[in-house]
Amino acid sequence: MQKTSPVSVTETPEHVAVAGTHPSVGSAALCEIATEASGRTISPSLYNLDLAPTKIAGRRWTSYSIFTLWANDVHSLGNYAFAIGLFSLGLGGWQILVALGIGAVLLFALLNFSGFMGQKTGVPFPVMSRISFGIRGAQIASLVRGAVAIAWFGIQTYLASVVLRVMLVAMAPGLKDLDSNSILGLSTLGWIAFVALWIIQLVIVSFGMEMIRKYEAFAGPIILVTMAAIAIWVFVEAGGAIQWSGIKGLEGGDMWLTIFAGGALWVSIYGTFVLNFCDFTRSSTSKKAVVRGNFWGIPINMLVFGAIVVIMAGGQYKINGTVIESPSDIVQSIPNTLFLVLACLALLILTVAVNLMANFVAPVYALTNLFPKHLDFRKAAWVSGIIGLVILPWNLYNNPLVIVYFLGGLGALLGPLFGVVMADYWLLRRGKVNVPELYTEDPSGAYFYKRGVNPKAITAMVPAAAVAILIAFIPGLASAAPFAWFIGAGLAALTYYWVADKTQPHDDVSGESIAVASTH
């Protein structure tokens, strides 16, 4: 059972103000209110409306809300490109389904563990990281996650702009003349498409997490229906037959190694999301909602996804003997202009949905955590969006060295981060968290450690990250590279548990006394 907070809600009139939207309350005043409510000095450099825990009453992220997150993210163009790549590697239909199934089972477990943390505490990932890394050391975890996300936000927006260009030219062929020049790497039409999508996403995010929830709920069914329709069209075009067996005839050990490698890479793709899933579940209604949403959204939805991949890739191979790279390849070949435009529109809705959940929320919270006195959710969204624009992401995407070494290197850090956070929360503390102390700079606070940084978390993360990076980049270790995320996470978790002080008692104190409404 959680300890009750020092001051109950009914006894503290100020708590009503904390739970509101605070349209005119500054950071310092908000902290004064929270301090009076919790009995602990709350620091304005650690607490604001967006970083505060969410009240249990009034949470709106149901199992359907969580399911639609996965209905969108699982069916992203990047995931289709990855899964179709398994067909290129030589896996057949059933083998692809087994690989995705292995990844789905592992993800279901990992996401539940991560999601339960957010549902209980009501805090976003940067604040959650303070538990293991310290109130200042948490900046490391949130900024690494945020940097990866900002880069991919720009790249995904660029990829969506390519689809928009195809749609615009199909609707107005005369626009093709605007697509032949180059300004900083993009054509005039390319700039128009990119900036239009960039603005649309920023407007949606400006309305906060509640608007993101509504958009995901709107987009989820559209994506499922669209992808299923494309698969059926390919199946009909292929004469009702698909290439079921692998095109390279993999057998025995090589086949199973490729299958397990595919499953491991499938989990690695979600290495970012398993870290900051609490950004969403902090507003979930219950643990059951998290489990149900994950069950229908991960194993069940991924089986549907796998079936669509097999039909698309196998059907297209039967049609002309080529292996597609993405559903967008099929969309561009649709002869009917109306259906082509509708399919492009659906892919745009999908990409925006994926970008919002996977690549926008994390950097927004990271920046808010870095400058809580000056940035709220909306301002941080515009800052991260501007960064995603000025880095000219199409140039990043077209540079293999940037993708492999910069983004790949940052990605290799995510496994060790996850290992430390999970080992600390579940193995060391057994889920006990003193939420109000996550927001205090008092040196006697539970998460102050040494000058706000937990050296033992750093000690565990650094060598594990070095090993993961070496495995990912050294050619001689290529066979182990697909498992780098697991190796990094496992090493970090074991090391942290080994060096941590296991005799220290841990209090379990609710953050309800300093919580705010989840729909702000």
Side-chain angles (χ1 to χ4, degrees), residues 433-458:
V433 181
N434 189 328
V435 177
E437 295 208 359
L438 291 170
Y439 301 93
T440 179
E441 292 181 293
D442 190 330
S444 65
Y447 312 105
F448 189 81
Y449 298 106
K450 292 185 178 181
R451 297 183 180 180
V453 178
N454 183 5
K456 293 181 179 179
I458 305 300

Side-chain angles (χ1 to χ4, degrees), residues 101-191:
I102 292 171
V105 170
L106 292 171
L107 275 174
F108 178 67
L110 294 174
L111 286 165
N112 281 335
F113 279 121
S114 181
F116 291 163
M117 295 164 62
Q119 194 279 328
K120 176 182 177 178
T121 62
V123 303
F125 174 67
V127 177
M128 187 72 70
S129 302
R130 296 174 188 173
I131 301 171
S132 52
F133 283 89
I135 57 172
R136 299 302 176 199
Q139 301 289 8
I140 299 171
S142 62
L143 288 177
V144 168
R145 172 65 182 98
V148 174
I150 285 178
W152 281 113
F153 158 72
I155 290 171
Q156 290 283 3
T157 301
Y158 161 66
L159 294 177
S161 72
V162 174
V163 176
L164 180 56
R165 284 155 60 187
V166 171
M167 186 182 80
L168 292 174
V169 171
M171 295 172 63
L175 293 176
K176 193 171 184 179
D177 294 338
L178 299 176
D179 206 22
S180 57
N181 61 332
S182 178
I183 305 172
L184 297 177
L186 271 190
S187 66
T188 300
L189 185 61
W191 272 104

Side-chain angles (χ1 to χ4, degrees), residues 153 196-207 356 360 378 380-386:
F153 158 72
L197 290 172
W198 182 82
I199 292 174
I200 289 171
Q201 292 174 96
L202 280 170
V203 169
I204 294 173
V205 172
S206 292
F207 288 94
L356 292 176
F360 225 140
R378 177 175 296 181
W382 280 93
V383 171
S384 60
I386 290 170

Side-chain angles (χ1 to χ4, degrees), residues 27-28 43-48 368 370-376 379:
S27 178
S43 171
S45 66
L46 297 172
Y47 180 96
N48 67 12
T368 304
L370 192 61
F371 304 107
K373 295 181 182 179
H374 308 288
L375 294 179
D376 57 15
K379 292 177 182 176

